Amino acid sequence: MRVLGIETSCDETAAAVVEDGRRVLSNIVASQFAIHHKYGGVVPELAARHHVERIHPVLEEALTVADVGWKEIDAVAVTRGPGLVVALLVGLQAAKGVAIARGIPLVDVHHLAGHISALHLETAMREPEGIGGPEGPPLPFVALVVSGGHTHLYRVDDPFSFHCLGATRDDAAGEAYDKVARLLGLGYPGGPILDALAAEVEGEPSIRFPRPILDDGGLDFSFSGLKTAVLYHLMDLGFYSSDPALPPLERAQGIGEDLLREIAYAFQAAVVEVLTEKALRAVRQEGCRALAVVGGVAANRGLRESLRRRSVEEGVGLYVPAVPFCTDNAAMIASAGYFLLEAGRQAETQALRLDADASWELSS
Ligand code: KG4
Ligand code: ZN
């Protein structure tokens, strides 16, 4: 079965054709990186406008690259939430249009279930970039979903049942990366920029930032204090202006390249240690044998390295998709849609009624 996946929940306009939930025939992602870069975050109205402009060319390209015609698409899967409602609606409208015009099933997918379904994509899990192999993690496993909007730990009992074990109480890890990058004047998205800077440093970090709520024995996260710790560090060094006319995240000035690298490295060390140790704690507590890490922050080199090392030490099977399938894409949505359809979770017969759900909960 060939499923056309559509994903527009944030700032990526994406479409993909996936066969039988696993084989990626095409995976097109039009990033709005250049549009939001100067604002230090995603501007919803701009995102929606660019989704409207890009959605049709991206859909056409997905079919062209897959070398299939519209008649060879058997179903459409679309992200219904969570995300920016004005952005989600663009993908939903396009998906409804295709499903109605072609008379094929339409299935709505939860964005985070999509991220987890990236583990089924052969190309996403193939070495060297994917960690763990295309057979995917044995059930039940723990999934750390770590992105710009979410930092959640789930126990996955079967492909459709996710039990939330812990979550961030404030900022998501990716959000912390984005805010710290903005504070350092580095632009958006912050994760890849700080990741690249951190990769230029080795050894013990020269600065030690706190490991928020790491020692509480629990599975929740908190990252907003870490951003504040970076801010205080800049203040102590005299690189933070007290000018109230400037937005708080735009007051840093005069930070040299070396200090930028050291801060990126020390910040990343703190985030990575908390994510790694809490994820492994969840695996131990739940008596699982495998850990999957998905979402944009799973692309992080420092995190991947730390997870590899610690999962070997703990005898835990580790599964992380290849980098292009960690960040938002539509192949993961097509894959999740396929498995939903296969399980008879059909699918919206009254496609016109399907509405976006900006704060849809995944957990049972
Ligand atoms: O999953 P995703 O593409 O979109 C959401 O669902 O949010 O994740 C985007 C987030 C952004 O916050 C971005 O800064 C972060 O993932 N990110 C990274 C890296 N690549 C993307 N964070 C750390 N290191 C990276 N290499
Ligand atoms: Zn995402």
Side-chain angles (χ1 to χ4, degrees), residues 7 9 111-112 115 147-148 295-296 326-328 332:
E7 153 66 41
S9 67
H111 182 74
L112 300 188
H115 272 300
S147 69
C326 289
T327 46
D328 286 350
M332 67 187 196

Side-chain angles (χ1 to χ4, degrees), residues 285-299:
Q285 277 186 18
E286 296 302 311
C288 294
R289 290 188 297 119
L291 168 66
V293 185
V294 301
V297 182

Side-chain angles (χ1 to χ4, degrees), residues 134-149:
E135 74 289 351
L139 292 163
F141 63 91
V142 167
L144 171 65
V145 185
V146 67
S147 69

Side-chain angles (χ1 to χ4, degrees), residues 13 32 35-36 43-55 86-87 90:
T13 316
Q32 301 180 2
I35 294 148
H36 303 287
V43 183
E45 289 74 15
L46 287 180
R49 203 175 87 205
H50 283 87
H51 282 311
V52 170
E53 282 171 11
R54 299 297 298 144
I55 188 75
V86 286
V90 179

Side-chain angles (χ1 to χ4, degrees), residues 99-322:
I100 291 165
R102 299 274 339 120
I104 53 178
L106 171 64
V107 62
D108 52 321
V109 173
H110 190 288
H111 182 74
L112 300 188
H115 272 300
I116 295 171
S117 210
L119 298 164
H120 295 299
L121 298 169
E122 287 163 4
T123 37
M125 297 309 296
R126 213 173 280 143
E127 291 288 357
E129 263 201 293
I131 304 171
E135 74 289 351
L139 292 163
F141 63 91
V142 167
L144 171 65
V145 185
V146 67
S147 69
H150 295 87
T151 301
H152 278 63
L153 277 165
Y154 293 101
R155 192 187 64 239
V156 183
D157 294 311
D158 69 56
F160 314 106
S161 116
F162 308 90
H163 175 71
C164 184
L165 304 168
T168 182
R169 296 177 184 168
D170 40 56
D171 292 352
E175 189 180 355
Y177 265 97
D178 295 337
K179 286 180 175 170
V180 166
R182 188 166 166 205
L183 182 62
L184 298 172
L186 296 172
Y188 174 86
I193 304 170
L194 291 172
D195 190 9
L197 280 172
E200 293 173 25
V201 187
E202 283 180 349
E204 204 43 42
S206 59
I207 311 161
R208 185 175 168 88
F209 290 122
R211 273 53 174 163
I213 64 170
L214 177 58
D215 297 325
D216 68 346
L219 297 175
D220 281 345
F221 301 90
S222 167
F223 290 108
S224 74
L226 197 46
K227 165 199 69 203
T228 314
V230 175
L231 192 154
Y232 282 146
H233 188 75
L234 293 173
M235 231 176 225
D236 287 348
L237 295 176
F239 292 122
Y240 189 79
S241 155
S242 53
D243 181 356
L246 294 170
L249 286 178
E250 287 170 22
R251 292 189 197 165
Q253 37 194 238
I255 313 169
E257 282 290 317
D258 283 345
L259 181 60
L260 276 182
R261 275 194 282 271
E262 290 297 330
I263 292 177
Y265 188 56
F267 167 75
Q268 181 148 301
V271 175
V272 162
E273 187 178 335
V274 172
L275 291 175
T276 305
E277 297 309 323
K278 292 235 170 187
L280 288 169
R281 183 180 294 163
V283 174
R284 281 194 301 273
Q285 277 186 18
E286 296 302 311
C288 294
R289 290 188 297 119
L291 168 66
V293 185
V294 301
V297 182
N300 187 268
R301 275 174 269 187
L303 180 61
R304 295 167 84 93
E305 158 97 38
S306 149
L307 287 165
R308 270 189 201 268
R309 187 173 45 78
R310 290 286 294 117
S311 59
V312 169
E313 284 169 10
E314 301 250 341
V316 167
L318 177 66
Y319 295 80
V320 191

Side-chain angles (χ1 to χ4, degrees), residues 2 17 25 62-73:
R2 284 194 201 97
V17 179
L25 303 185
L63 268 76
T64 305
V65 172
D67 198 20
V68 295
W70 286 106
K71 290 196 176 126
E72 292 159 279
I73 298 293

